[in-house]
Amino acid sequence: QNAQVWSQYATRRDEIAAQCRKVGARHDLKYWQNQLNGTVASMDVVKSKLGSMSDVPPLVADANEVWLLHGTSHDAAEGITSEDFD
């Protein structure tokens, strides 16, 4: 991963988590199910599978951080990881 971009992301994520805690924003599964049109379909599978296959830090629930996946080509993925979307 691009260390500078990850650092910027993590800093902003932590700021969001602090803001969410300050206002008492909910992030529990019951809230997702009852207030936000159901759970994110991939949430449980991705948490259990991808989390154990990667060395990235755990998701920050206070910031409503979730894994969102989409498809792309191998070449595009290589470009994203080596050139940071540029």
Side-chain angles (χ1 to χ4, degrees):
Q1 292 184 23
N2 183 315
Q4 180 182 4
V5 172
W6 176 257
S7 178
Q8 291 169 344
Y9 169 79
T11 298
R12 182 64 184 129
R13 178 200 57 205
D14 294 343
E15 291 169 355
I16 291 169
Q19 290 171 348
C20 288
R21 284 190 297 273
K22 183 176 179 180
V23 300
R26 291 188 54 194
H27 55 79
D28 54 283
L29 187 56
K30 187 173 183 178
Y31 182 72
W32 279 93
Q33 291 172 331
N34 297 335
Q35 305 298 322
L36 299 172
N37 300 320
T39 60
V40 176
S42 61
M43 192 180 301
D44 291 334
V45 173
V46 172
K47 275 185 187 178
S48 66
K49 301 290 185 196
L50 189 58
S52 66
M53 294 172 19
S54 174
D55 62 353
V56 298
L59 297 174
V60 176
D62 289 351
N64 283 318
E65 188 175 41
V66 298
W67 287 105
L68 300 174
L69 306 176
H70 65 86
T72 191
S73 70
H74 178 76
D75 289 340
E78 287 290 328
I80 290 167
T81 58
S82 64
E83 299 178 32
D84 192 32
F85 294 97
D86 294 335

